[in-house]
Amino acid sequence: MARRPGAPAAYGEEFSFVSPLVKYLLFFFNMLFWVISMVMVAVGVYARLMKHAEAALACLAVDPAILLIVVGVLMFLLTFCGCIGSLRENICLLQTFSLCLTIVFLLQLAAGILGFVFSDKARGKVSELINNAIVHYRDDLDLQNLIDFGQKKFSCCGGISYRDWSQNMYFNCSEDNPSRERCSVPYSCCLPTPNQAVINTMCGQGMQALDYLEASKVIYTNGCIDKLVNWIHSNLFLLGGVALGLAIPQLVGILLSQVLVNQIKDQIKLQLYNQQHRADPWY
C-alpha cells in the first residue's frame, strides 16, 4: 500500500530501538555487584552474631560489621533496581537506579573535596574516632585486631602518643586500677624483635610510666595520626587511583542506565506511532 507523502519512514514490526548489548551489559553489571552486596551482608551479619551483645553495643559507632551490613544493604537495593529495571525495561526502576547512583557519586565527590578543604577538621574527626577506638579496644575483637594491624603497619602507638592508651580502663595508669595491664600498651606497639618465634604479648608492660627516650627503646612512641597523615601525603597517586577505580563503575552504571532509558522511550514512541498509523490507508 502506498505511503502518504511526507510521512516518516516506517520500521518493521520486529524492529527495536532497545539494544540487547546495552540491556544485558547493564544487567550483568548490576548482577555482579548484587552478588557482592549479598556477600558483604552475609559477612557482616556473621561477624555481628559472633560477638557478645555487650561488646557490640559498646562500640556501635565504630563497628566494622555494622558498616559492612549497612553498605551491603544499600548496594543490594540499588543493584536490585538496576537488575530488574534493565531486564524488564522498566523506566521507573532504571531512573531510580541512575538517580541514586548519581547521588552516591556526588556525595563521595563532596566528601573528598570537603576532606581536602577542611583537612584540620577531618584530622580532628579522625583523632576522635581513634580515641574512641582506644577506649573500646578490649570490648570488641574485630576492633582490637584492626587497631593492632594499624599500629604494626604504621609503626605507631596511640593517637598522638603512646600515653593515649591511658584512656582505656585496662591500660589506665591510675593507682586504683586493678588491671594487670595497668600503665601498659598493647603488644602491637612494641618494636619488632628479629627471629622471634613466639610473640611476647606483655612486651608493653609499664611503658606509659617511662619517659619518651626510655620507652622508645622498646615501643613505638609516635602517634598514629601523624603517621597516617604522612602516609596519605606520600600515597596520593595510589589513593587517587583507588578513588578513580570506585568512580568508574558508578559512571559506567549511570551512562548505561541513561542510554537504556532513552532507547526504551524511543521504542515506546515507535510503538505509539505504529498503533496510530496502522489504520491509516495512506500508511
Side-chain angles (χ1 to χ4, degrees), residues 116-182:
F116 180 78
V117 174
F118 300 102
S119 56
D120 292 337
K121 291 185 178 181
R123 180 191 176 96
K125 187 63 177 177
V126 171
S127 178
E128 180 184 339
L129 289 175
I130 290 178
N131 289 333
N132 190 31
I134 288 174
V135 170
H136 297 294
Y137 175 76
R138 288 297 189 202
D139 302 334
D140 185 275
L141 184 59
D142 289 339
L143 184 63
Q144 181 176 319
N145 292 332
L146 181 62
I147 293 174
D148 287 335
F149 171 79
Q151 290 191 145
K152 289 187 287 187
K153 173 69 176 178
F154 295 107
S155 303
C156 59
C157 186
I160 298 176
S161 75
Y162 64 101
R163 287 200 171 99
D164 288 341
W165 280 101
S166 194
Q167 299 177 66
N168 186 281
M169 62 183 296
Y170 298 99
F171 298 106
N172 190 275
C173 286
S174 59
E175 294 293 337
D176 58 347
N177 183 9
S179 173
R180 291 185 301 173
E181 296 177 309
R182 176 181 171 274

Side-chain angles (χ1 to χ4, degrees), residues 17-252:
F17 279 107
V18 178
S19 169
L21 176 63
V22 174
K23 175 180 177 178
Y24 290 106
L25 186 61
L26 182 60
F27 171 75
F28 287 113
F29 173 84
N30 281 281
M31 178 63 72
L32 173 63
F33 287 96
W34 192 42
V35 172
I36 293 175
S37 69
M38 288 191 289
V39 172
M40 290 173 63
V41 172
V43 171
V45 170
Y46 175 79
R48 189 69 174 171
L49 293 176
M50 290 298 102
K51 298 178 182 178
H52 297 293
E54 297 81 4
L57 292 174
C59 55
L60 186 62
V62 292
D63 190 354
I66 287 292
L67 182 62
L68 203 61
I69 293 173
V70 171
V71 173
V73 169
L74 292 177
M75 186 186 296
F76 177 87
L77 295 175
L78 186 59
T79 52
F80 178 80
C81 289
C83 280
I84 303 302
S86 58
L87 195 62
R88 303 295 298 173
E89 299 180 11
N90 188 297
I91 293 179
C92 181
L93 289 177
L94 287 172
Q95 287 180 334
T96 301
F97 168 77
S98 179
L99 178 62
C100 291
L101 206 57
T102 302
I103 292 174
V104 170
F105 175 77
L106 292 177
L107 287 175
Q108 292 175 346
L109 183 63
I113 294 174
L114 291 175
F116 180 78
V117 174
F118 300 102
S119 56
D120 292 337
K121 291 185 178 181
R123 180 191 176 96
K125 187 63 177 177
V126 171
S127 178
E128 180 184 339
L129 289 175
I130 290 178
N131 289 333
N132 190 31
I134 288 174
V135 170
H136 297 294
Y137 175 76
R138 288 297 189 202
D139 302 334
D140 185 275
L141 184 59
D142 289 339
L143 184 63
Q144 181 176 319
N145 292 332
L146 181 62
I147 293 174
D148 287 335
F149 171 79
Q151 290 191 145
K152 289 187 287 187
K153 173 69 176 178
F154 295 107
S155 303
C156 59
C157 186
I160 298 176
S161 75
Y162 64 101
R163 287 200 171 99
D164 288 341
W165 280 101
S166 194
Q167 299 177 66
N168 186 281
M169 62 183 296
Y170 298 99
F171 298 106
N172 190 275
C173 286
S174 59
E175 294 293 337
D176 58 347
N177 183 9
S179 173
R180 291 185 301 173
E181 296 177 309
R182 176 181 171 274
C183 230
S184 302
V185 294
Y187 79 95
S188 55
C189 288
C190 297
L191 297 174
T193 303
N195 302 322
Q196 185 179 27
V198 180
I199 297 176
N200 180 14
T201 57
M202 301 300 292
C203 58
Q205 189 74 26
M207 287 296 113
Q208 292 187 63
L210 302 180
D211 61 30
Y212 182 87
L213 291 177
E214 291 180 339
S216 63
K217 298 176 183 178
V218 183
I219 64 171
Y220 302 116
T221 52
N222 294 326
C224 294
I225 296 176
D226 289 334
K227 291 283 186 137
L228 180 60
V229 170
N230 293 335
W231 183 85
I232 290 174
H233 287 164
S234 59
N235 291 274
L236 288 177
F237 285 107
L238 174 63
L239 295 175
V242 172
L244 186 62
L246 292 174
I248 288 178
Q250 296 174 15
L251 294 175
V252 169

